[in-house]
């Protein structure tokens, strides 16, 4: 099991360009989360997705940011018209719910992150 | 609402001395709590987790944490620091009862000197 794979590891974009960040969850995991780590801050939850569904996007900026997790392929975090303030590390995590209903035995496994630099 | 506060942004210790990283949480229900570690240029790694079993939780690399409901704390400790422990540590609380979405503290940077 290769773990959560994120690519690219480093991404440089000029202001106004689009950034696409990819996340392949661990095998068998159907839940994906995206987090953003700004300099000097902790990780901030952005969005929680299951296959073909956005479950919770309360942490996503209202404009320019979107996320998807298609039936086939990786989850994509897309940032349009990037600005310098988007420079951050973006982490993806995946998990699976064990059992049904409420479960506290779930662990989220994290990728190594994508470091986005906007110049 | 769930939240987590890491009381120190930076902790410095000498090699061989004890480590204490402090974390307080706020949760409307009995929470699931985690400590994650992030080494430079690496992904986050789970150190340990509390999920309503024993209040003293043992993790990897000699770390442990004690869940104290009366103090709403989940402090991370290690008896003797090693140089390789230098990293950033995140205290985490569940965002929901399923434990599948997490709120992170701002992190504590641990420095270890020889």
């Amino acid at each position: 099991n290769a773990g959560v794979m994120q690519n690219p590891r480093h991404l440089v974009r000029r202001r106004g360009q689009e950034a696409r960040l990819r996340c392949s969850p661990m095998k068998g995991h159907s839940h994906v989360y995206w987090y953003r780590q700004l300099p000097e801050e902790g990780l901030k939850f952005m969005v929680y997705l299951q296959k073909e569904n956005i479950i919770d996007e309360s942490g996503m900026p209202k404009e320019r940011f979107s996320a998807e997790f298609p039936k086939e392929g990786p989850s994509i975090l897309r940032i349009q018209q990037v600005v310098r303030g988007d420079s951050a590390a973006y982490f993806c995590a995946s998990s699976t719910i064990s059992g049904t209903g409420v479960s506290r035995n779930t662990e989220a496994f994290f990728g190594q992150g994508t470091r986005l630099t906007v110049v | 609402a769930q939240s987590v506060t890491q009381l120190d942004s930076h902790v410095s210790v000498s090699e061989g001395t004890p480590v204490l990283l402090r974390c307080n949480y706020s949760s409307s229900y009995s929470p699931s709590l985690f400590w994650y570690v992030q080494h430079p240029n690496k992904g986050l790694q789970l150190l340990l987790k509390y999920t309503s079993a024993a209040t003293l939780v043992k993790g990897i690399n000699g770390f442990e944490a004690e869940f104290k409901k009366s103090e709403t704390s989940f402090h991370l400790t290690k008896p003797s620091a090693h140089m390789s422990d230098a990293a950033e540590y995140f205290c985490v609380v569940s965002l929901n009862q399923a434990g599948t979405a997490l709120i992170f503290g701002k992190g504590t940077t641990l420095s270890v000197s020889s």
Side-chain angles (χ1 to χ4, degrees):
Chain A
N1 197 330
V4 179
M5 304 299 292
Q6 288 187 248
N7 67 82
R9 292 287 309 281
H10 300 274
L11 181 62
V12 179
R13 285 287 177 266
R14 296 185 184 279
R15 281 179 295 171
Q17 291 184 318
E18 178 180 285
R20 279 180 175 248
L21 289 63
R22 296 177 197 79
C23 169
S24 296
M26 286 183 71
K27 189 176 181 181
H29 286 192
S30 57
H31 305 264
V32 165
Y33 319 86
W34 285 93
Y35 293 83
R36 176 167 60 175
Q37 183 181 29
L38 293 167
E40 309 301 324
E41 294 188 23
L43 276 75
K44 304 281 188 188
F45 169 74
M46 297 182 75
V47 61
Y48 165 35
L49 309 105
Q50 294 180 19
K51 288 279 187 182
E52 301 184 280
N53 282 306
I54 296 175
I55 307 301
D56 182 348
E57 56 180 349
S58 57
M60 287 276 273
K62 300 299 181 189
E63 297 177 348
R64 302 186 297 108
F65 284 72
S66 63
E68 62 177 9
F69 188 19
K71 187 176 181 180
E72 301 291 337
S75 175
I76 306 288
L77 179 67
R78 183 180 176 208
I79 311 172
Q80 295 177 291
Q81 299 176 330
V82 296
V83 300
R84 288 223 171 101
D86 297 333
S87 296
Y90 292 82
F91 286 88
C92 168
S94 74
S95 74
T96 181
I97 297 181
S98 59
T100 57
V102 174
S103 167
R104 298 211 178 107
N105 294 320
T106 306
E107 177 181 345
F109 294 84
F110 284 78
Q112 291 186 308
T114 294
R115 278 156 182 80
L116 172 65
T117 302
V118 179
V119 298
Chain B
Q2 288 69 250
S3 66
V4 61
T5 303
Q6 290 184 245
L7 299 167
D8 307 292
S9 59
H10 199 141
V11 170
S12 297
V13 301
S14 298
E15 193 174 21
T17 63
V19 176
L20 170 63
L21 305 182
R22 298 182 295 166
C23 172
N24 287 105
Y25 69 91
S26 171
S27 179
S28 54
Y29 55 88
S30 187
S32 295
L33 293 159
F34 310 78
W35 276 97
Y36 279 85
V37 61
Q38 183 182 16
H39 287 92
N41 298 314
K42 296 280 182 70
L44 288 148
Q45 181 184 19
L46 180 67
L47 272 180
L48 49 79
K49 62 180 177 181
Y50 165 76
T51 55
S52 76
T55 56
L56 182 62
V57 182
K58 294 187 183 298
I60 61 172
N61 301 334
F63 284 94
E64 61 182 37
E66 187 171 5
F67 173 71
K68 291 187 177 180
K69 187 175 182 179
S70 60
E71 299 176 9
T72 60
S73 69
F74 191 56
H75 301 334
L76 182 70
T77 60
K78 183 173 181 178
S80 176
H82 192 272
M83 296 294 286
S84 61
D85 294 328
E88 190 162 18
Y89 292 80
F90 292 91
C91 182
V92 184
V93 68
S94 298
L95 192 61
N96 56 29
Q97 289 195 349
T100 55
L102 310 170
I103 292 179
F104 284 73
K106 289 189 177 182
T108 299
T109 300
L110 176 64
S111 300
V112 182
S113 58
S114 56

